[in-house]
Amino acid sequence: MKKIALTATAAVAALALGLTGCSSERGGGAAPGETEAPAGFEAGATIGVALPDKTSENWVLAGDLFTEGLEEAGFQADVQYAPASNTVAEQQNQIQAMVTSGAKVIVVGAKDGKQLGTQLEAAKDAGVTVIAYDRLIENTEAVDYYVAFDNFKVGELQGQALLEGLEAKAGHDAPYNVELFSGSPDDANSAVFFDGAMSVLQPKIDDGTLVVASGQTDIAQTATQGWLAENAQERMDSLLTSTYSGDTELDGVLSPNDTLARAILTSVEQAGKKQPVVTGQDSEAESVRWIMEDRQYSTINKDTTLLVEQTIKMIGQLQAGEEVDVNDTEQYDNGVKVVPAYLLEPVIVTKENAAEAYANVPSLLEIVESY
Ligand code: BGC
């Protein structure tokens, strides 16, 4: 506490002396591995936001909310998306440019969380604070904070929804035939979602309640490169041909998000098979419709507005030289350090609780109420 108070005072003194350009310098003296107290920086500073390609609606929304919210809070917002092709290199260039242009904080939704070390280390050397947004940045010291929905909990909720959906909708008792999908291997979240789901599903596979008829239970076999719908649809097409020809029914699918859930369901519908229970995540408008129409079983509400608000709050604390709010200092080991995190609670949504779950999300509530 003492160190923070002193550093904040130093920042105020620097401001008073007009030394604003130097005010983001770190106080020095923290032991290795310890996060140093923030020094604060000038109001109106530039904040960089480097987002990945727009693989789901939440990323599209995040960009708009950051631009609006940062400007409302008095900052200059520099919000960039990595394009769909050459994404990693482009994101590296964008981060480098943000450092050059004097950004005080860089918020990163990583395309590939393992490939930003060089650029983020340069950012740290320039006194920038780095916040990993939604996706953890791995194998580097150069990340100060992580802000996300609790990813393991997302997976657990998906696993539970799959089980409950099967009991309610499969039309027969166990065993149930299921298939498993996971997200892109370059996104640190993918393994955490999958592990969370498997913490619920593996015991049910072991006791024979669930049968993964293809035998593909390893995360490498279930991965969906780039989180692309076409890759999930292609894998589902080939699973249907290899494993579910004839009378063999597919009862359920673990899908890590809504975009992939709709691709999986499209594949099954095109093959003329019975509709399986399919999970999702993100509360994309089209999936909320499919849930209301009994096509997709569940999604997760991770309200992007809340996540962006929390991130901007943390940036405000950094600007003021205050202690940054975190509520988890254990879970997110990025390979070289445990990154202090602020985790928000995800909410499972099915047709049953949709109206309640979206009570504060007018655009989705409107969809629910139209059914
Ligand atoms: C996010 C998910 C999203 C996925 C694909 C993940 O990192 O946490 O909400 O569905 O990326 O865009």
Side-chain angles (χ1 to χ4, degrees), residues 37-76:
F41 53 82
E42 70 270 22
T46 297
I47 309 298
V49 181
L51 297 174
D53 45 342
K54 300 173 181 174
T55 44
S56 44
E57 262 170 27
N58 53 326
W59 295 112
V60 181
L61 195 57
D64 294 342
L65 291 168
F66 270 119
T67 305
E68 271 166 41
L70 284 170
E71 282 175 3
E72 237 165 67
F75 297 107
Q76 300 281 340

Side-chain angles (χ1 to χ4, degrees), residues 152-210:
F152 192 85
K153 185 77 193 284
V154 167
E156 277 181 328
L157 292 172
Q158 290 172 332
Q160 283 157 9
L162 183 60
L163 286 178
E164 284 165 20
L166 287 167
E167 277 164 23
K169 308 258 173 195
H172 61 86
D173 291 336
Y176 305 113
N177 285 339
V178 298
E179 292 299 334
L180 310 172
F181 282 69
S182 59
S184 192
D186 53 13
D187 176 354
N189 285 353
S190 299
V192 187
F193 296 149
F194 193 71
D195 288 349
M198 291 307 268
S199 73
V200 176
L201 300 178
Q202 189 64 54
K204 297 294 177 182
I205 295 172
D206 295 342
D207 75 11
T209 306
L210 301 179

Side-chain angles (χ1 to χ4, degrees), residues 21-366:
C22 313
S23 62
S24 70
E25 260 178 31
R26 301 258 147 175
E34 218 180 80
T35 301
E36 292 178 24
F41 53 82
E42 70 270 22
T46 297
I47 309 298
V49 181
L51 297 174
D53 45 342
K54 300 173 181 174
T55 44
S56 44
E57 262 170 27
N58 53 326
W59 295 112
V60 181
L61 195 57
D64 294 342
L65 291 168
F66 270 119
T67 305
E68 271 166 41
L70 284 170
E71 282 175 3
E72 237 165 67
F75 297 107
Q76 300 281 340
D78 178 7
V79 178
Q80 305 281 338
Y81 282 98
S85 61
N86 207 18
T87 325
V88 173
E90 274 305 315
Q91 188 165 59
Q92 291 169 337
N93 293 340
Q94 287 167 347
I95 291 172
Q96 233 154 26
M98 287 169 186
V99 176
T100 309
S101 74
K104 295 297 182 200
V105 178
I106 300 183
V107 176
V108 184
K111 165 62 186 173
D112 183 334
K114 289 194 179 72
Q115 294 204 53
L116 298 174
T118 309
Q119 291 70 30
L120 295 179
E121 277 142 34
K124 295 300 307 166
D125 289 346
V128 176
T129 301
V130 177
I131 302 179
Y133 171 86
D134 190 282
R135 298 176 174 175
L136 189 60
I137 294 164
E138 297 173 278
N139 298 342
T140 178
E141 287 278 351
V143 49
D144 298 283
Y145 301 102
Y146 179 45
V147 56
F149 280 88
D150 184 335
N151 299 303
F152 192 85
K153 185 77 193 284
V154 167
E156 277 181 328
L157 292 172
Q158 290 172 332
Q160 283 157 9
L162 183 60
L163 286 178
E164 284 165 20
L166 287 167
E167 277 164 23
K169 308 258 173 195
H172 61 86
D173 291 336
Y176 305 113
N177 285 339
V178 298
E179 292 299 334
L180 310 172
F181 282 69
S182 59
S184 192
D186 53 13
D187 176 354
N189 285 353
S190 299
V192 187
F193 296 149
F194 193 71
D195 288 349
M198 291 307 268
S199 73
V200 176
L201 300 178
Q202 189 64 54
K204 297 294 177 182
I205 295 172
D206 295 342
D207 75 11
T209 306
L210 301 179
V211 177
V212 182
S214 68
Q216 298 183 9
T217 54
D218 189 272
I219 188 163
Q221 297 170 305
T222 65
T224 311
Q225 193 63 47
W227 284 102
L228 293 176
E230 59 259 38
N231 291 340
Q233 191 162 341
E234 213 171 280
R235 177 163 176 257
M236 191 70 247
D237 287 347
S238 74
L239 286 171
L240 290 173
T241 311
S242 63
T243 313
Y244 297 93
S245 55
D247 289 344
T248 313
E249 292 287 9
L250 170 66
D251 297 308
V253 180
L254 173 75
S255 165
N257 82 358
D258 287 347
T259 307
L260 306 189
R262 297 195 303 277
I264 290 161
L265 278 160
T266 301
S267 165
V268 178
E269 285 168 13
Q270 283 174 2
K273 300 289 283 183
K274 151 188 122 163
Q275 193 169 298
V277 170
V278 180
T279 61
Q281 162 174 215
D282 294 333
S283 294
E284 294 199 338
E286 189 59 11
S287 280
V288 173
R289 285 189 200 99
W290 285 31
I291 287 172
M292 297 314 291
E293 289 164 11
D294 285 315
R295 279 168 90 186
Q296 184 177 324
Y297 180 70
S298 67
T299 185
I300 303 272
N301 190 20
K302 302 198 304 185
D303 189 338
T304 305
T305 309
L306 298 181
L307 194 59
V308 170
E309 264 172 25
Q310 181 58 38
T311 313
I312 294 176
K313 185 172 167 201
M314 291 161 94
I315 295 167
Q317 289 164 337
L318 286 164
Q319 189 272 320
E322 292 166 3
E323 200 168 350
V324 173
D325 263 357
V326 292
N327 61 11
D328 179 279
T329 51
E330 283 172 13
Q331 277 193 69
Y332 284 94
D333 187 334
N334 80 344
V336 296
K337 72 183 276 194
V338 176
V339 184
Y342 195 98
L343 302 180
L344 300 176
E345 273 294 292
V347 176
I348 189 78
V349 185
T350 61
K351 191 174 179 176
E352 219 167 290
N353 72 338
E356 186 194 333
Y358 300 133
N360 296 322
V361 191
S363 59
L364 298 179
L365 189 61
E366 196 183 317

